[in-house]
Amino acid sequence: MVQNKLPAQLEKILSESFYIRTTLIRKNGTPRTVETTYVWLQEGYVNKIILSGYPGKRDWVASMSRNSKVTVHTVEFEPWFDINSEAKVIRKLDKKLPYLIAFIEHWAQRPGFPRTRFKILLTAVKINRWLKLPWWGPFIIAKKIFNGMPCVEITFASKPILRKDEGPPPLSEPQNGRPF
């Protein structure tokens, strides 16, 4: 875990971007580069990226749980950076819920996102959790959705490297014509 201040350019990219590419190692030992949605969090000088998305199983989550060494690549703005990192899959709802809420709040900043509906829903969930009420009524549906969402905490393990070539690495192609 690196506890250094990030370059201002990288901080701006991480705070304004919605997509990140991550190179991981598959079960068969080959590298794979995926593009996912994320939120960047700073806890003191510790920089984390939380990867998430729609509920459901993801091969990239399984790969990261087997091999935590990953490389994060910025993609939306120049200049491009690569950062060696450590991935940790978070499965327990109590641990991942604050990250998922931060992820959804970041995602809600995108143009055209139905902010009001999500703000009401997230506020209700936050109040429910703060009051430590049971997951009842409509909250049962919210709990099911949150439980199904992937949650991977990626902590930067080295200083960022400014990429000198043309952009981030390309996304991996499906193997044997099968989707990932």
Side-chain angles (χ1 to χ4, degrees), residues 15-84:
S15 66
E16 294 178 4
S17 180
F18 294 97
Y19 298 98
I20 205 90
R21 288 192 186 159
T22 307
T23 300
L24 51 93
I25 304 299
R26 292 182 174 115
K27 188 176 185 178
N28 65 10
T30 61
R32 174 182 175 202
T33 300
V34 296
E35 188 168 283
T36 56
T37 51
Y38 78 97
V39 62
W40 168 56
L41 302 173
Q42 285 184 299
E43 295 172 355
Y45 284 109
V46 177
N47 290 281
K48 297 179 181 184
I49 289 179
I50 305 301
L51 304 182
S52 191
Y54 291 107
K57 291 185 177 183
R58 303 285 183 270
D59 288 349
W60 54 266
V61 174
S63 293
M64 289 181 191
S65 69
R66 280 190 296 275
N67 186 340
S68 64
K69 304 264 188 245
V70 298
T71 304
V72 172
H73 316 278
T74 60
V75 294
E76 287 193 88
F77 304 103
E78 292 182 33
W80 295 289
F81 291 89
D82 296 334
I83 309 154
N84 293 323

Side-chain angles (χ1 to χ4, degrees), residues 18 107-115:
F18 294 97
W107 191 249
Q109 299 305 311
R110 294 184 66 223
F113 195 86
R115 285 176 186 76

